[in-house]
Amino acid sequence: MTRAVIDYLDTGAGRPVVLLHGFPLTREMWNRQIPLLAQRCRVIAPDLRGFGASPAAPGAISMSTYAADVAALLDDLGIDEPVALAGFSMGGYAAFAFLRDFPARLGALALIDTKATADTPAARQGRGEMADRVVAGGAEVIADAMIGKLLSAQALEAQQAVKDEAYAMMQRQSPAAIAQALLAMAERPDSTPLLSGIEVPTLVIVGEKDEIATLEESRQMAAAIPGAAIVEIGGAGHLTPMEAPQQVNAALAEWVGLA
Ligand code: MLT
């Protein structure tokens, strides 16, 4: 058994629900979901390698590194029943790796503002350039580049506290971990071939104005997964768990059987 190296929150009791955060964020992005889910579930929210309170991995990583970390964490916690796994954006890419590498450990899947496709060659190149810029210039470089894409134009205007919280979360992350994650996302495989074989109850959530994982991509992904439900959040941008927590919570509650 591999010992887990990542930091995590473990709260509540009942069915295990694992929440995987996006890039370049931490488990704090789930602060608006955890109290509700923990009413009747055991919520496990890790910080992925190098983010938040988790130490960075030596050398290069992949989405499978994040998935193996989650599996090791579940081992440490004595959880061998299949878990409900929710991944937001990069956390969704890690959830696909978990599905690929540990299919028997997955009992339900929520894909939130994420996509199954791999990067295009141009996107891959952009990630490599951004990794170099972050290593040279610090986390602020990515925070500045991403804040406008995380939230809808409306939320950027009207939800200053959420904008500040998301920006500060990004700015606090280690440049080395950000660079590692960028390169790992660039190298992630296409998960589209997995979709038709997903046998667990699956929920797709997407913000209507998401520019990173678009409405159209999410609809196609949901349509390719047998029996998947999709919840489209009108007006919301990419970071729906923070921008539109009530709608996300309602969808997740139903997904885990709380509603
Ligand atoms: C995320 O929100 O996790 C990332 O923006 C995903 C990506 O860059 O592909």
Side-chain angles (χ1 to χ4, degrees):
M1 191 173 98
T2 322
R3 301 291 305 181
V5 293
I6 50 173
D7 201 79
Y8 60 94
L9 175 83
D10 177 11
T11 181
R15 178 181 193 190
V17 178
V18 179
L19 305 175
L20 301 183
H21 65 77
F23 167 88
L25 300 168
T26 72
R27 64 183 189 238
E28 293 167 291
M29 65 154 281
W30 300 113
N31 282 349
R32 291 161 180 81
Q33 282 69 51
I34 290 168
L36 171 87
L37 294 173
Q39 284 174 17
R40 299 232 308 267
C41 297
R42 179 175 182 181
V43 180
I44 297 137
D47 281 337
L48 297 173
R49 285 273 188 138
F51 292 100
S54 287
I61 58 164
S62 69
M63 289 300 129
S64 283
T65 312
Y66 293 150
D69 285 341
V70 172
L73 176 58
L74 295 175
D75 286 345
D76 273 9
L77 296 175
I79 297 173
D80 51 17
E81 69 189 275
V83 299
L85 181 64
F88 165 76
S89 201
M90 182 181 80
Y93 310 157
F96 281 124
F98 191 87
L99 169 68
R100 193 177 290 112
D101 299 344
F102 307 98
R105 302 193 81 160
L106 190 67
L109 182 62
L111 299 165
I112 307 175
D113 297 281
T114 191
K115 52 194 168 194
T117 49
D119 274 4
T120 61
R124 226 173 263 149
Q125 189 183 339
R127 301 241 201 227
E129 288 164 7
M130 180 54 88
D132 292 343
R133 286 179 54 204
V134 170
V135 169
E140 235 165 64
V141 173
I142 195 83
D144 287 340
M146 284 198 67
I147 191 67
K149 294 185 205 156
L150 288 185
L151 301 171
S152 66
Q154 195 194 351
L156 287 167
E157 282 279 314
Q159 297 197 48
Q160 188 64 40
V162 170
K163 180 181 171 189
D164 291 348
E165 188 185 337
Y167 188 90
M169 211 185 298
M170 292 192 280
Q171 204 183 17
R172 280 197 301 273
Q173 304 315 307
S174 122
I178 292 170
Q180 263 185 337
L182 280 164
L183 300 179
M185 286 194 286
E187 292 307 319
R188 74 186 191 280
D190 180 13
S191 294
T192 311
L194 295 178
L195 300 179
S196 64
I198 295 179
E199 290 173 351
V200 297
T202 299
L203 167 68
V204 174
I205 298 177
V206 61
E208 182 201 5
K209 308 274 187 211
D210 190 338
E211 292 175 16
I212 296 175
T214 65
L215 183 60
E216 199 43 50
E217 285 172 306
S218 297
R219 284 178 178 167
Q220 282 172 14
M221 182 169 72
I225 302 171
I230 181 164
V231 170
E232 303 175 0
I233 303 182
H238 182 59
L239 189 46
T240 54
M242 287 178 64
E243 180 178 332
Q246 285 177 344
Q247 293 95 319
V248 170
N249 287 0
L252 289 180
E254 197 173 328
W255 171 67
V256 293
L258 284 174

